[in-house]
Amino acid sequence: MAKDDAKKVAPEAREIPIEGSDDKNEGAAAASGSAPQAESAKAQDAESAAAEKAPEGAAEKAEDADIAAEADAVVEQAERLAKAEQEAAALRDKYLRLQADWDNYRKRTAAETDEMRARAAEKLMNDVLPVLDDFERAIAHAEKNGEAGLLDGVKAISTKLNGVFAKHGLEAIDPAGKAFDSLEHQAVATVDDASVPDETVAQVFQKGYRLGKKVLRPAMVTLATGGPKREPEPAEGDEQE
């Protein structure tokens, strides 16, 4: 009974207010509320800084890419220039070699031509020397024995000389009594003669000569005029009736 009475008599417990506790609680709550805000602000600042740095980094990368492209272009151009210089040097060397070969060929051809001419002249002179000996013998015979027999000797020498020239391809042009040919004859005068066709060679003042097909000297002739017109000669290959 005494315990029950004691419980009944004991006063109820009350909380004792403490001065300043509310302010501390409020400050703690405020502090706890401002911490997330500070962290959020820092995050925003970091994001903004990263956003500011991102364009700068992209610009630097783009600038680096442009520099690299320009460097590659410079290197490529230098390579093309070096290749072009090599090709130009090769072409120059080829041109110099060709020019040297042409000069050697020209000199060799000129030397061969001169040698051929010398051989041809040597052969001709060897054939003419006996004719000169005959002339000397004819002159010596005329000096000792007078002019008797000189004409026959000169004629023999002339025949022999013509034979030497004919051997080397020289042919006399002696067109007396033939039709005038402006390619081989040179008219120096005309004479009236109706007994022969017009433009017939009447007289040969000087013989002409041809070597092969080349006329070395045309014959100097006079032409007969006043006669009938000459009939055109048939062309080679035409059938005659």
Side-chain angles (χ1 to χ4, degrees):
M1 295 294 295
K3 293 180 181 179
D4 297 332
D5 295 335
K7 291 180 180 180
K8 294 180 181 180
V9 174
E12 295 180 357
R14 297 180 180 177
E15 294 181 358
I16 299 174
I18 300 173
E19 295 179 358
S21 59
D22 294 336
D23 296 336
K24 290 181 179 180
N25 291 333
E26 291 177 359
S32 60
S34 61
Q37 294 179 356
E39 292 178 357
S40 177
K42 289 180 179 180
Q44 291 179 357
D45 293 339
E47 290 177 357
S48 61
E52 291 177 357
K53 290 181 179 180
E56 294 178 357
E60 291 178 356
K61 289 181 180 179
E63 185 176 357
D64 293 340
D66 294 339
I67 294 174
E70 292 179 358
D72 293 339
V74 172
V75 171
E76 185 178 358
Q77 185 176 2
E79 291 177 351
R80 288 199 302 268
L81 180 61
K83 185 177 180 181
E85 290 177 351
Q86 292 177 357
E87 292 178 353
L91 291 175
R92 183 175 180 274
D93 294 339
K94 185 177 180 180
Y95 168 75
L96 293 176
R97 287 195 299 270
L98 290 174
Q99 187 177 15
D101 292 342
W102 168 250
D103 290 339
N104 294 332
Y105 171 77
R106 181 174 54 80
K107 293 178 181 178
R108 184 172 63 254
T109 303
E112 292 176 353
T113 302
D114 292 340
E115 185 177 358
M116 291 176 62
R117 289 175 179 173
R119 289 180 179 178
E122 180 181 355
K123 186 177 180 180
L124 177 61
M125 293 303 105
N126 287 330
D127 292 337
V128 171
L129 286 177
V131 180
L132 294 177
D133 294 337
D134 291 342
F135 269 116
E136 291 178 357
R137 293 190 189 99
I139 293 171
H141 179 76
E143 289 176 350
K144 290 181 180 180
N145 303 316
E147 297 180 359
L150 181 60
L151 179 60
D152 294 335
V154 172
K155 287 181 178 180
I157 294 172
S158 177
T159 302
K160 190 173 182 179
L161 184 59
N162 288 328
V164 171
F165 288 149
K167 180 181 177 180
H168 290 273
L170 186 67
E171 182 182 358
I173 302 175
D174 188 5
K178 297 181 181 179
F180 176 76
D181 186 353
S182 60
L183 297 178
E184 295 185 351
H185 310 153
Q186 180 180 356
V188 295
T190 59
V191 293
D192 293 331
D193 189 355
S195 63
V196 295
D198 191 36
E199 293 188 351
T200 297
V201 176
Q203 186 179 2
V204 178
F205 283 115
Q206 186 182 64
K207 291 182 181 180
Y209 289 92
R210 72 169 67 90
L211 185 63
K213 295 182 178 180
K214 182 178 181 181
V215 176
L216 298 181
R217 188 182 71 186
M220 297 177 63
V221 300
T222 60
L223 297 182
T225 60
K229 296 296 182 181
R230 184 181 297 273
E231 295 293 334
E233 296 182 0
E236 295 181 0
D238 292 347
E239 296 182 357
Q240 296 182 355
E241 295 181 357

